[in-house]
Amino acid sequence: MTIRAMILDIDGTLLSSNDAHARAWVRAFGEEGLDVTYDRVRSLIGMGGDQLAPRLGVPEDAARFKRLKEGWKTHFLDELPTLQPTNGARDLVRGLLERGVRVIYGTSADEALLGDMLKQAKLDDLDVPATTSSDVEASKPRPDIVLAALDKLGLPPGEVLMLGDTPYDVQSAAQAGVRAVFVRTGGFDDPEEALACFDDAAAVLAHLNDLLPS
């Protein structure tokens, strides 16, 4: 079946931001008097806060969760101006668009952060739609964000690929019936369920003929 579109994750995939997210969460938990290690938090980066916090003992509906999320955002925004695009990120997005492949961002970040992240990734001038955690009830690894992207594209799952850097991207895509391509820029091991694994966006671009045969 012809691939007509790709859903692109942003954090870790197009922007080197996973470590900054982990540091921000650790600081936010510390401000709440909760001792959560960096390694534990880092292993969960790729999930949205609604999925991450409960796994660390804070239910999403708790008042503490709201304070945690506000603290995380404050600390992440402090680091955001220092973050860099991943290798080949812009070239990949442009390459897909020039090839006639539709592109949509699918991120566990919320709508309020999207513009700033795209600016830092040097992608803010490209006309690409997005689905974020603000659009759905549950973030990755739940399939909601991928399903919302499919709805916006108006395409069946078999005509779409997902590109992500965490096992949670792959799990989210699989639950939506979408095959996932994995990049190692997020700091995770290759997931067995991925259709293909590459070092970074530049490597994905170099192998587009294999991923998107005419």
Side-chain angles (χ1 to χ4, degrees):
M1 186 176 292
T2 301
I3 299 299
R4 302 184 185 278
M6 285 192 73
I7 303 168
L8 304 183
D9 173 59
I10 298 175
D11 280 307
T13 302
L14 303 176
L15 180 67
S16 295
S17 53
N18 288 359
D19 291 345
H21 278 298
R23 289 190 292 267
W25 278 115
V26 169
R27 291 176 187 134
F29 275 99
E31 289 167 351
E32 287 296 309
L34 299 171
D35 185 15
V36 177
T37 67
Y38 173 86
D39 288 346
R40 177 64 176 137
V41 175
R42 185 62 176 80
S43 71
L44 299 175
I45 295 302
M47 297 183 180
D50 62 309
Q51 303 294 315
L52 180 148
R55 286 166 171 79
L56 296 172
V58 180
E60 183 186 358
D61 59 353
R64 177 174 268 181
F65 172 76
K66 183 178 180 180
R67 296 195 302 270
L68 273 173
K69 193 169 183 181
E70 289 172 351
W72 154 75
K73 183 175 289 187
T74 296
H75 295 306
F76 179 71
L77 285 172
D78 286 344
E79 290 202 46
L80 184 56
T82 70
L83 304 182
Q84 297 296 318
T86 59
N87 184 42
R90 181 178 176 85
D91 289 342
L92 174 61
V93 178
R94 286 177 56 88
L96 289 166
L97 295 173
E98 290 169 359
R99 191 183 175 115
V101 177
R102 297 171 63 188
V103 176
I104 186 169
Y105 301 125
T107 174
S108 286
D110 62 32
E111 181 69 28
L113 278 178
L114 180 63
D116 290 336
M117 291 195 306
L118 290 175
K119 181 178 181 180
Q120 204 61 31
K122 297 181 172 54
L123 296 169
D124 55 312
D125 61 319
L126 302 179
D127 186 17
V128 174
T131 57
T132 72
S133 62
S134 303
D135 298 320
V136 298
E137 292 185 4
S139 66
K140 301 169 189 172
R142 294 279 297 276
D144 302 35
I145 289 170
V146 179
L147 291 171
L150 290 174
D151 186 61
K152 285 189 177 183
L153 290 167
L155 293 173
E159 295 182 3
V160 180
L161 292 179
M162 170 84 181
L163 179 67
D165 67 296
T166 75
Y168 315 117
D169 294 311
V170 177
Q171 292 165 19
S172 178
Q175 291 180 69
V178 172
R179 291 170 293 173
V181 177
F182 179 80
V183 285
R184 302 182 180 103
T185 44
F188 290 87
D189 293 335
D190 294 359
E192 294 181 1
E193 305 87 351
L195 174 67
C197 300
F198 299 99
D199 284 344
D200 51 29
V204 175
L205 178 62
H207 289 85
L208 277 188
N209 287 338
D210 299 323
L211 294 170
L212 310 171
S214 300

